């Protein structure tokens, strides 16, 4: 199988913990949101982008806007940790950026098994 590249946006130490849920042949690039630009995105050329839905530095609306402007065509998955109604964010991004393949990753034990299918 071809190697996939996942761009993890956010605090690199926190995002590093998610690597264990991906297939072994997955490549990773971890970056802070403040360092992400369209040029950086194009040079990394990820298949998927994973980020927290909300954190101190950015939220998934900020990320969706940047990825939309960069004409990103891969999958975008947000981690809705602690959000009571993540479907509201999903619907808002779908209405603002209908061309983006955006969804939330459910990190419950049952769903962790399905991350591989969701991203690859």
């Amino acid at each position: 199988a071809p190697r996939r590249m996942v761009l993890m946006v956010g605090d690199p130490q926190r995002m590093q913990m998610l690597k264990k849920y991906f297939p072994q042949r997955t490549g990773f690039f971890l970056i802070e949101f403040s360092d992400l630009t369209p040029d950086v995105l194009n040079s990394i050329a990820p298949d998927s982008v994973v980020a927290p839905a909300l954190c101190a530095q950015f939220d998934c609306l900020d990320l969706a806007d940047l990825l939309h402007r960069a004409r990103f065509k891969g999958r975008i998955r947000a981690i809705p940790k602690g959000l009571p109604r993540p479907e509201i964010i999903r619907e808002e991004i779908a209405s603002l950026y209908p061309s983006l393949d955006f969804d939330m990753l459910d990190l419950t034990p049952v769903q962790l098994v399905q991350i591989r299918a969701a991203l690859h």
Side-chain angles (χ1 to χ4, degrees):
R3 185 173 173 96
R4 301 289 183 160
M5 177 58 70
V6 175
L7 175 62
M8 294 184 156
V9 181
D11 176 30
Q13 289 181 331
R14 290 184 182 190
M15 298 305 287
Q16 181 85 12
M17 296 183 318
L18 295 175
K19 288 174 144 184
K20 63 185 174 187
Y21 299 114
F22 293 87
Q24 289 180 343
R25 292 194 45 81
T26 303
F28 297 96
F29 194 96
L30 287 78
I31 191 169
E32 301 252 0
F33 181 75
S34 60
D35 295 328
L36 184 60
T37 66
D39 288 338
V40 169
L41 181 69
N42 290 330
S43 69
I44 297 168
D47 301 291
S48 303
V49 174
V50 176
L54 181 65
C55 67
Q57 294 77 26
F58 69 100
D59 61 35
C60 57
L61 287 170
D62 298 323
L63 181 62
D65 183 62
L66 187 149
L67 296 173
H68 173 74
R69 286 185 286 113
R71 296 191 165 118
F72 180 68
K73 298 298 180 204
R75 295 172 189 87
I76 307 157
R77 300 296 182 260
I79 302 164
K81 184 177 180 184
L83 295 180
R85 306 252 335 257
E87 69 275 6
I88 293 172
I89 295 171
R90 183 185 305 116
E91 292 167 7
E92 184 171 359
I93 289 179
S95 70
L96 292 172
Y97 307 104
S99 65
L100 293 179
D101 180 354
F102 177 87
D103 206 351
M104 297 285 184
L105 282 180
D106 183 356
L107 296 181
T108 59
V110 172
Q111 295 300 318
L112 288 174
V113 174
Q114 298 177 359
I115 286 179
R116 294 174 190 206
L119 292 173
H120 300 294

